[in-house]
Amino acid sequence: MRDGTAGVWRELAHPAFLRTSLPWRAAGYLLASGTAGLLLCVGLLVAATAAGVLAVVLVGLPLLAALALVGLPFAAWERWLLRTTRLADTVPGGSHLVPGRPGLTAWLRLRYREQATWRELGFSVLAAFVLWPVDLVVAGCALAVPGYLIAALPLLLADGDQVNVLKLWQVHSPLVAGALTVAGFAALALAGYPLTLVAAGRAALARNVLAPAGQELRIGELVSSRARLVDAFEAERRRIERDLHDGAQQRLVALAMALGLARLDAEPGSALAERLADAHREAGHVLEELRELINGIHPQVLTDHGLPDACTDAADRSPVPVEVGFELPGRLPPAVESAGYFAVSEALANIAKHSGAGSARVDGRHAGGLLVIEVSDDGRGGADPALGSGLTGLADRVSVLDGTLLLSSPPGGPTLLRMEIPCTPIGAAA
């Protein structure tokens, strides 16, 4: 059974505390953590000296970068100690996120960006330069001093003359040595309380630093679930688009053709011919609206040619003259292209409805792991998301992909809308 923090405090208050294994587990924990901290301190000092001697950039910087990862194995060792000694609640071992791509580069990039990596490094430095002396001094005093006293009588009997107790005084009498031995056992028993208190506090500190209530784990799971929802939405959207294109649209085309043929068979100028003509026109209007609906769900040009051509097509359909300029290294993930396209379409629609602009411009590029799209116009400005201009929905669409939306629209203009979506081009190296 795992004791955990609450279990440790309950055992400390129990009358039979000294008969449990907790004091010995506490002593083992302090000795192990103190020894590991001492070794880490020596290792860090040696590495720091080497980094100072090898101050050349090509040598020193990689060494310092490697030192930044020293907290990972030390934290794993600390978690193992906590699990073994059961002095604190379970510390999750998987507090680090899993890279989205294979390879050492992706693993290192994720580790250096994670808060958990730097938190574990900070704990390792704390253990190496602050905690280990406390661990060893407490464990040493709690074990060594009673041990010296307990050994007084056996040593005197073995020597037959005298014994030096704690290197402070000479003991010649077996009665005094026996009294010291009894006092040693009593001191060992009493030392179990402060020893366990210090070990429990040390374990609680380690647990709180290495696993702060699972916050990062929950955030990582939320990010992963959000990505899965985006993928599921994209798959469902494509299914609806395919069903409309291959099902309803084809039936409407067949209906329009049948009405056209029926018009040829009807007597010209008759009431039937007029009704067939009206029905034929209505079928054409419905077919046109359905095609616009399908294109609004996901334009075929976006699927076939990518974001730049799709934005160019949206700009050509805008009543406001729009210049388009994109510099992308290749195709982007479908969800990113879809979000970028619909954000640009919404922005152009807002310009046509509200800005009074005479011209607009759309620029896109990929830099620093971000897709950056800027939509600007020379209109009257004063855009406000609270007025229901569609900017709130646009921000929601971008934020689903962990993106950001920035708006600059002073009264009198100009207006600049900037979207940033983190992504990696398809086929790029991890």
Side-chain angles (χ1 to χ4, degrees):
M1 179 181 294
R2 296 178 182 267
D3 297 69
T5 305
V8 170
W9 302 125
R10 283 196 301 269
E11 287 196 39
L12 271 170
H14 198 276
F17 162 70
L18 294 177
R19 294 200 299 270
T20 67
S21 63
L22 182 56
W24 300 107
R25 285 187 276 129
Y29 173 70
L30 290 179
L31 288 174
S33 59
T35 303
L38 174 60
L39 295 177
L40 180 61
C41 178
V42 174
L44 288 176
L45 291 177
V46 171
T49 303
V53 174
L54 304 174
V56 182
V57 174
L58 293 179
V59 178
L61 289 182
L63 182 58
L64 292 176
L67 288 177
L69 298 176
V70 73
L72 273 66
F74 191 83
W77 160 257
E78 186 70 27
R79 291 188 181 96
W80 181 84
L81 278 181
L82 294 176
R83 285 196 305 270
T84 303
T85 58
R86 307 193 303 277
L87 290 173
D89 299 325
T90 303
V91 181
S95 59
H96 292 281
L97 301 178
V98 179
R101 294 176 176 272
L104 179 61
T105 302
W107 185 85
L108 289 175
R109 185 184 297 115
L110 179 60
R111 291 295 169 263
Y112 283 118
R113 291 178 178 176
E114 277 186 314
Q115 292 184 5
T117 300
W118 302 105
R119 190 173 61 244
E120 291 177 355
L121 175 62
F123 175 78
S124 301
V125 173
L126 180 67
F129 296 103
V130 177
L131 296 180
W132 75 262
V134 178
D135 297 341
L136 293 184
V137 167
V138 172
C141 291
L143 298 177
V145 174
Y148 265 109
L149 296 176
I150 292 172
L153 182 60
L155 290 176
L156 179 63
L157 295 178
D159 184 71
D161 183 15
Q162 64 180 14
V163 62
N164 192 343
V165 179
L166 297 177
K167 300 187 183 300
L168 296 179
W169 69 88
Q170 301 290 331
V171 176
H172 302 275
S173 170
L175 293 178
V176 174
L180 291 176
T181 299
V182 173
F185 279 109
L188 182 63
L190 293 177
Y193 287 95
L195 179 71
T196 305
L197 282 173
V198 173
R202 168 72 162 74
L205 172 64
R207 196 222 180 266
N208 289 334
V209 173
L210 296 179
Q215 181 178 5
E216 267 190 16
L217 292 176
R218 290 195 297 271
I219 292 175
E221 179 58 28
L222 286 174
V223 172
S224 300
S225 63
R226 184 172 62 178
R228 290 194 295 268
L229 286 174
V230 171
D231 293 339
F233 172 77
E234 281 294 308
E236 183 65 15
R237 179 195 51 73
R238 291 181 181 275
R239 185 191 67 79
I240 294 174
E241 175 197 1
R242 184 174 58 253
D243 290 346
L244 289 175
H245 184 275
D246 298 339
Q249 181 176 249
Q250 298 303 322
R251 291 186 178 183
L252 279 175
V253 171
L255 175 60
M257 293 179 61
L259 290 172
L261 293 176
R263 289 180 62 188
L264 296 177
D265 295 335
E267 183 178 352
S270 64
L272 177 60
E274 292 180 1
R275 291 177 182 176
L276 288 174
D278 292 339
H280 192 201
R281 283 193 300 270
E282 188 64 25
H285 294 327
V286 173
L287 183 58
E288 183 178 351
E289 290 180 1
L290 181 61
R291 285 170 177 168
E292 291 179 357
L293 175 63
I294 295 173
N295 188 72
I297 293 176
H298 194 81
Q300 192 64 32
V301 64
L302 181 61
T303 302
D304 296 339
H305 302 287
L307 183 59
D309 289 348
C311 290
T312 301
D313 180 68
D316 292 339
R317 290 183 278 105
S318 173
V320 178
V322 181
E323 294 185 12
V324 179
F326 272 84
E327 294 182 4
L328 299 181
R331 294 296 298 269
L332 302 176
V336 174
E337 288 189 337
S338 178
Y341 168 77
F342 286 108
V344 169
S345 298
E346 181 66 26
L348 294 180
N350 287 339
I351 291 174
K353 293 178 182 178
H354 309 291
S355 71
S359 63
R361 181 171 180 83
V362 178
D363 294 290
R365 62 186 181 277
H366 186 274
L370 294 173
L371 169 64
V372 180
I373 301 177
E374 295 180 343
V375 182
S376 58
D377 67 75
D378 58 1
R380 65 176 66 95
D384 186 356
L387 298 179
S389 59
L391 293 174
T392 302
L394 196 156
D396 292 341
R397 181 184 291 273
V398 173
S399 65
V400 168
L401 296 172
D402 203 22
T404 57
L405 182 72
L406 305 174
L407 175 65
S408 173
S409 183
T415 296
L416 174 63
L417 189 68
R418 178 186 175 97
M419 293 159 279
E420 297 179 354
I421 303 176
C423 62
T424 302
I426 296 176

